[in-house]
Amino acid sequence: LKMGRHSVGIRLFVLALKRSRAPLTWHTLTMLIMVVTSGAIMFFVERESCTWDEANAVWLRKAGYADSAKAGEPATECTFQSIPGTLWWAVVTLTTVGYGDTVPVTDMGKALASLVMMFSVLVMTFPMVILTTSFNTVYKSYLWARFRHTENERDEGLEQDFVKATTFANANKSMTSRPGGRQGSQASTLHELRVSVASDPTKKIPQVR
């Protein structure tokens, strides 16, 4: 935590997350809707290849599919037994993880899974775009604020050097100058110094001790 307070990069990243809170929230809600919708549709599509076993309260696979039991063997259970169980497949597919532990076996189920996989690639890129844009904006604002702070410090130092120089010079002059002349001369000289420093930022004003 202490390192985070003093790290500019971490603080800028946290600020970018805060600025992206609204779009990321909408994206999360969209993902939840997609998970529930695709999981529910997949369950009903795959259920057409199963029969309900009242004795064991499970869905059993019909004959003629890739995971169907061979002749003389007990029927195998269907991969998707309920909508909550199918949501696991939806989350794994939409996040492009793809464990492969639960897969559809029907043609309609495979077609639906293909659409979900292709769409999930597009959906998962949205958070990266949101965070990249937000961080870029925050970083540009940080650089601009830092530049303005440096400019202000340089102007303040220039004014202090000018005041010291004019005070030292005026101490050796007579007080017979007309009213307002000194202020006009100081303003003119300060303007010339600012123009000189602006044209050559490396130029230093000699310090008057």
Side-chain angles (χ1 to χ4, degrees), residues 85-120:
T86 312
L87 295 182
W88 167 251
W89 166 86
V91 171
V92 170
T93 305
L94 282 171
T95 54
T96 66
V97 176
Y99 280 128
D101 53 346
T102 55
V103 294
V105 297
T106 63
D107 294 336
M108 288 294 296
K110 292 178 181 179
L112 176 61
S114 300
L115 291 175
V116 173
M117 285 186 286
M118 289 186 292
F119 192 70
S120 63

Side-chain angles (χ1 to χ4, degrees), residues 54-208:
E54 290 288 348
N56 298 318
V58 294
W59 290 95
L60 300 178
R61 184 73 68 192
K62 297 178 181 178
Y65 293 94
D67 60 344
S68 299
K70 298 180 180 179
E73 296 180 355
T76 58
E77 295 183 3
C78 292
T79 304
F80 305 107
Q81 291 291 327
S82 63
I83 292 180
T86 312
L87 295 182
W88 167 251
W89 166 86
V91 171
V92 170
T93 305
L94 282 171
T95 54
T96 66
V97 176
Y99 280 128
D101 53 346
T102 55
V103 294
V105 297
T106 63
D107 294 336
M108 288 294 296
K110 292 178 181 179
L112 176 61
S114 300
L115 291 175
V116 173
M117 285 186 286
M118 289 186 292
F119 192 70
S120 63
V121 175
L122 299 176
V123 173
M124 292 305 297
T125 59
F126 289 162
M128 298 298 102
V129 174
I130 294 171
L131 289 176
T132 302
T133 304
S134 179
F135 185 82
N136 188 33
T137 303
V138 171
Y139 187 68
K140 286 183 178 179
S141 300
Y142 165 74
L143 291 180
W144 175 250
R146 186 176 180 181
F147 172 77
R148 294 300 302 167
H149 180 70
T150 305
E151 289 290 319
N152 292 335
E153 286 185 346
R154 191 178 67 181
D155 290 343
E156 291 176 0
L158 179 62
E159 291 180 359
Q160 292 177 1
D161 293 339
F162 172 75
V163 170
K164 292 180 181 179
T166 53
T167 302
F168 179 79
N170 291 329
N172 298 324
K173 291 182 179 180
S174 62
M175 303 302 296
T176 59
S177 59
R178 58 182 181 179
R182 183 182 304 173
Q183 290 79 355
S185 176
Q186 290 180 357
S188 177
T189 307
L190 178 59
H191 177 72
E192 293 176 358
L193 288 174
R194 284 181 173 174
V195 172
S196 176
V197 173
S199 61
D200 186 4
T202 60
K203 181 178 295 185
K204 296 183 178 179
I205 304 300
Q207 298 290 335
V208 178

Side-chain angles (χ1 to χ4, degrees), residues 1-15 18:
L1 294 177
K2 292 183 178 179
M3 183 180 66
R5 295 194 193 102
H6 301 287
S7 176
V8 176
I10 295 177
R11 285 186 294 166
L12 291 178
F13 183 73
V14 172
L15 182 59
K18 291 180 180 179

